[in-house]
């Protein structure tokens, strides 16, 4: 696959291979069919990062081949959103003849939305001056006059210059309701917006008859918390990254959702708090015993759940687990299956044309 041509004719076969691979991995835990959710075959990525290569008077986007480390020039990138593709050549054209902005520029990071907002971070190996800021403001204004809803950010060592703001506001239609998500530059967001909508709707569907409250670990900017709030009395969610917590608090307010509480804690810290092995000031005023959580939702990093957290989640009748690494999911299931059984299984094709799989399982406590 070249970055400028996607093998769309092979999409169905690649997706079928992933389904087969997931079934094989899950054989020790369930024989049920996989619910399969397809990605758009192009323009599905809302984020993209490119190194910038300088060649004489020219400069252009590049990526590196993961196997050979060979440098590959990229003038268009059909995996990325349409607005990223529209902006890429226009931005390079503007930078090519601008000595102030191109000097020691080594990377451009793009973050876009389905509503066509975009923020571009320009990364430098030099100090950013007032002259840079003035030139960047002129570039921003020029591109806005062409119709781009654009934010520009400059980054250098221990420096971040934000001309206006460092975020975009995404609006996703989820099961009949529009949900606004503030997404901050350089913070985690789901890369495939169309697939994110399908994941949220699947999570809503499998919890539609849930009772009591929901506990969520690794909540990020509230991506799942906000969508799932309608199915539960209350939602208690944890996240350790400050920018994500700030975004989550904004998202709760702007969507006027009143039954979600965010705590800035890691999953490991929350496990310690629940076990009573450690006290945290951040929990002052929050009565954990007042929550009646019959469902726990986890969307951990690629490393999966740590040993203590696996044991902690086994205390809940229902476990909803979204995984970006089925290998570590299976490692966790080796323990979780001692007390729970898989009742739903889904494959979300978050990363088309790659080996990576995103999947979801709903686990229900075995009857004693």
């Amino acid at each position: 696959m070249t970055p400028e041509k996607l093998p769309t004719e092979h999409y169905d076969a690649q997706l079928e291979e992933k389904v087969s691979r997931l079934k094989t991995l899950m054989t020790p835990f369930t024989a049920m069919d996989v619910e399969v959710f397809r990605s758009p075959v192009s323009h599905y990525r809302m984020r993209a990062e490119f190194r910038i290569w300088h060649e004489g008077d020219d400069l252009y986007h590049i990526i590196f081949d993961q196997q050979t480390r060979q440098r590959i020039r990229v003038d268009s990138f059909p995996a990325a959103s349409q607005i990223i593709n529209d902006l890429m050549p226009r931005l390079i054209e503007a930078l090519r003849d601008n000595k102030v902005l191109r000097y020691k520029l080594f990377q451009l990071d793009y973050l876009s939305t389905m509503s066509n907002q975009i923020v571009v971070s320009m990364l430098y190996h030099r100090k950013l001056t007032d002259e840079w800021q003035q030139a960047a403001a002129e570039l921003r204004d020029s591109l806005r006059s062409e119709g781009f809803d654009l934010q520009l950010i400059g980054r250098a060592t221990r420096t971040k210059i934000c001309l206006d703001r460092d975020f975009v506001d995404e609006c996703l239609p989820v099961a009949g309701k529009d949900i606004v998500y503030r997404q901050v530059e350089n913070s985690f967001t789901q890369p495939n917006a169309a697939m994110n909508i399908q994941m949220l709707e699947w999570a809503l569907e499998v919890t539609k008859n849930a009772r009591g409250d929901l506990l969520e670990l690794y909540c990020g900017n509230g991506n799942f918390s906000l969508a799932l709030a309608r199915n539960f009395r209350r939602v208690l969610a944890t996240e350790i990254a400050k920018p994500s917590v700030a975004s989550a608090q904004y998202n709760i307010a702007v969507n006027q959702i009143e039954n979600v509480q965010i705590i800035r804690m890691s999953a490991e810290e929350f496990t310690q708090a629940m076990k009573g092995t450690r006290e945290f000031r951040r929990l002052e005023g929050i009565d954990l015993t007042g929550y009646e959580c019959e469902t726990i939702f986890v969307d951990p990093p690629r490393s999966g759940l740590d040993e203590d957290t696996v044991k902690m989640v086994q205390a809940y009748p229902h476990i909803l687990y979204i995984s970006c690494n089925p290998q570590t999911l299976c490692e966790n299931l080796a323990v979780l299956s001692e007390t729970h059984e898989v009742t739903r299984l889904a494959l979300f094709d978050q990363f088309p044309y790659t080996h990576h799989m995103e999947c979801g399982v709903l686990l229900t406590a075995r009857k004693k």
Side-chain angles (χ1 to χ4, degrees), residues 51-249:
R51 288 300 182 97
I52 297 300
W53 194 258
H54 299 253
E55 193 169 287
D57 292 334
D58 198 11
L59 80 164
Y60 45 85
H61 300 87
I62 65 166
I63 60 174
F64 292 98
D65 185 284
Q66 291 186 341
Q67 276 73 46
T68 66
R69 302 305 297 165
Q70 178 185 357
R71 185 176 72 249
I72 303 171
R73 177 170 178 157
V74 181
D75 293 320
S76 64
F77 194 62
S81 65
Q82 188 61 58
I83 188 174
I84 291 177
N85 279 274
D86 291 343
L87 184 58
M88 285 172 63
R90 183 64 193 91
L91 190 54
I92 288 294
E93 179 186 347
L95 292 171
R96 187 177 288 119
D97 298 324
N98 192 314
K99 293 181 180 179
V100 174
L101 294 180
R102 68 172 284 174
Y103 180 57
K104 293 200 174 181
L105 172 71
F106 72 92
Q107 184 166 316
L108 291 175
D109 296 348
Y110 297 84
L111 171 63
S112 65
T113 69
M114 294 181 76
S115 51
N116 281 330
Q117 294 183 17
I118 188 165
V119 57
V120 179
S121 301
M122 307 170 69
L123 282 63
Y124 289 87
H125 286 310
R126 69 174 175 93
K127 184 179 180 180
L128 300 182
T129 62
D130 291 343
E131 185 183 23
W132 177 89
Q133 189 162 342
Q134 181 178 344
E138 291 171 358
L139 172 60
R140 174 206 59 196
D141 294 344
S142 174
L143 292 171
R144 284 180 177 175
S145 71
E146 297 176 25
F148 291 103
D149 189 350
L150 170 72
Q151 306 295 328
L152 272 185
I153 294 171
R155 282 189 172 274
T157 303
R158 294 188 295 275
T159 302
K160 175 180 175 181
I161 296 178
C162 183
L163 298 185
D164 295 294
R165 62 177 195 253
D166 62 352
F167 60 84
V168 288
D169 286 335
E170 178 65 283
C171 182
L172 300 181
V174 179
K177 291 185 179 180
D178 288 344
I179 305 179
V180 174
Y181 292 101
R182 176 152 294 178
Q183 301 180 342
V184 179
E185 173 262 359
N186 211 34
S187 296
F188 176 77
T189 55
Q190 295 287 344
N192 187 328
M195 187 52 55
N196 188 30
I197 293 170
Q198 294 187 74
M199 288 198 301
L200 294 173
E201 293 184 336
W202 180 80
L204 271 170
E205 198 271 323
V206 302
T207 60
K208 62 184 177 183
N209 295 318
R211 295 182 301 178
D213 303 321
L214 172 70
L215 172 62
E216 180 183 354
L217 309 182
Y218 315 96
C219 77
N221 68 347
N223 184 57
F224 282 93
S225 316
L226 274 63
L228 288 172
R230 69 184 89 167
N231 279 358
F232 294 89
R233 187 184 64 157
R234 291 189 297 173
V235 177
L236 178 65
T238 72
E239 171 58 45
I240 189 60
K242 282 186 178 180
S244 294
V245 172
S247 294
Q249 299 289 15

